[in-house]
Amino acid sequence: MRVGGRRSILIGLGLVMVLGIAVYLRLCNNGFTGSIPSELGNCSHIEYLELSQNSFTGDIPESFGNLLNLRFINLYSNFMKGSIPESLFRIPHLDTVWLDVNELNGSIPLNVANMSEISSLWLYGNQLSSTIPSSIGNCTKLVELYLNDNQFVGNLPESLNNLEGLMYLDVSNNSLEGTIQLGLGSFKQMDTLVLSFNCFSSGIPPGLGNCSSLTQLAAVRCRLTGPIPPSLGQLTQLTLLYLCENRLSGRIPPELGNLKSLNDLQLYDNQLEGEISSELGLLSELQNLFLFTNRLDGEIPISIWKI
């Protein structure tokens, strides 16, 4: 039987408030509709709140700021609208915030800087706009930051350099522009970096070669220009490298032959020129090699045919 409506959830919340001891409230993957009751903010003991995969609409209640014990909130896959309330980002020990796949708009609140304990922030799949606030660089415990599939503009903030523990960063499918910060090379623990489908109109920073833990690097259709830095050959853990559909020029650096773990290399639809380096034939794990629609010439090295 389908569970839905404000009355149903209020009955449940009434029990929570009467008992006064609820720490976990999980109502995910049901058929709840309507707005999330503001009365939920009175359930002061809640630490873990999961309302994902329902059909909630309306704003995120301002009263959530009263849940001072909250550590985890998941509103994934609903129809939430409006802006992210600043009160949510005033909760002192909030560790995980998943607001992805909704219809939220507006900007990321500047007081995101208050989230000193946050390790996972998922905001992808919304209609958020404006710039990514530089104050996000104060969230120094961040491990996962997913801002993809929104409408962000402006530059990647230089303050991202402060997030030395960041492992997953995805800002794809926005309208970001300007220079990709050279400081991205300071991410020693970075595993996945996705920059695709933006408007950077700059070169690939050589400093990315210092991200020694990278396994996936995708920068597709970003209007990237200039050469592929030889320093990318230092990313020996890399399994996927997508730099296709840009304006990259020059030769394919032979240093890419050092990427012994690489199994997917896609450099198609650029302005690369010269001969294909025989060093690419050293990539014994390579399964996909896409170099079409460039200006390459000469002979295809015999070593490539052995891949």
Side-chain angles (χ1 to χ4, degrees), residues 10-307:
L10 277 177
I11 291 172
L13 292 181
L15 291 173
V16 169
M17 287 185 283
V18 168
L19 292 174
I21 56 174
V23 174
Y24 292 87
L25 180 59
R26 301 188 65 180
L27 303 176
C28 56
N29 199 21
N30 277 291
F32 288 114
T33 59
S35 59
I36 297 174
S38 60
E39 291 88 344
L40 184 55
N42 297 328
C43 303
S44 58
H45 291 276
I46 290 179
E47 296 181 14
Y48 185 107
L49 177 60
E50 187 163 3
L51 305 178
S52 61
Q53 294 178 290
N54 282 289
S55 297
F56 286 118
T57 57
D59 296 347
I60 299 173
E62 284 280 350
S63 62
F64 276 8
N66 298 328
L67 303 177
L68 299 181
N69 291 307
L70 196 65
R71 296 180 180 273
F72 177 101
I73 181 170
N74 183 4
L75 304 182
Y76 159 73
S77 191
N78 279 287
F79 299 94
M80 307 299 299
K81 297 181 182 294
S83 58
I84 301 171
E86 289 192 1
S87 61
L88 184 65
F89 287 176
R90 289 198 294 267
I91 298 174
H93 303 295
L94 201 54
D95 172 84
T96 300
V97 176
W98 293 348
L99 307 180
D100 42 307
V101 192
N102 278 284
E103 299 175 10
L104 299 171
N105 54 42
S107 58
I108 299 175
L110 295 179
N111 72 334
V112 67
N114 296 338
M115 304 183 74
S116 59
E117 300 296 321
I118 189 77
S119 66
S120 183
L121 181 58
W122 293 15
L123 302 178
Y124 72 85
N126 281 289
Q127 299 167 20
L128 298 171
S129 57
S130 190
T131 59
I132 300 172
S134 59
S135 56
I136 205 166
N138 291 343
C139 303
T140 54
K141 292 186 179 180
L142 264 176
V143 175
E144 302 176 328
L145 180 58
Y146 290 97
L147 304 178
N148 48 299
D149 298 287
N150 278 289
Q151 300 168 16
F152 291 116
V153 298
N155 296 339
L156 280 174
E158 188 175 353
S159 63
L160 288 176
N161 298 332
N162 300 333
L163 308 180
E164 296 183 356
L166 198 63
M167 296 180 64
Y168 303 95
L169 175 61
D170 191 339
V171 295
S172 61
N173 286 296
N174 282 288
S175 297
L176 298 171
E177 58 189 10
T179 302
I180 300 173
Q181 299 296 319
L182 293 176
L184 283 170
S186 65
F187 293 147
K188 300 295 185 181
Q189 301 183 56
M190 180 72 71
D191 177 275
T192 301
L193 176 60
V194 186
L195 305 171
S196 302
F197 303 103
N198 279 291
C199 308
F200 289 114
S201 300
S202 65
I204 300 172
L208 284 181
N210 296 324
C211 300
S212 54
S213 297
L214 264 181
T215 66
Q216 298 185 65
L217 173 57
V220 178
R221 201 182 298 177
C222 290
R223 302 184 184 179
L224 297 175
T225 59
I228 298 174
S231 59
L232 296 190
Q234 301 171 22
L235 303 177
T236 55
Q237 304 299 315
L238 211 60
T239 61
L240 179 152
L241 179 58
Y242 290 172
L243 300 177
C244 39
E245 298 184 56
N246 285 293
R247 302 169 185 172
L248 298 172
S249 57
R251 295 178 174 270
I252 299 174
E255 288 82 0
L256 295 187
N258 297 328
L259 306 180
K260 298 300 190 292
S261 298
L262 198 65
N263 56 52
D264 201 343
L265 176 58
Q266 300 193 18
L267 305 178
Y268 66 85
D269 202 358
N270 278 290
Q271 300 170 16
L272 300 170
E273 57 189 12
E275 297 184 353
I276 301 174
S277 172
S278 60
E279 279 80 357
L280 293 186
L282 302 175
L283 302 176
S284 58
E285 300 296 321
L286 198 62
Q287 299 179 17
N288 297 312
L289 176 60
F290 296 167
L291 304 178
F292 58 87
T293 316
N294 277 289
R295 300 173 181 173
L296 301 171
D297 56 26
E299 298 182 356
I300 299 177
I302 295 176
S303 59
I304 296 294
W305 294 113
K306 296 179 181 180
I307 294 177

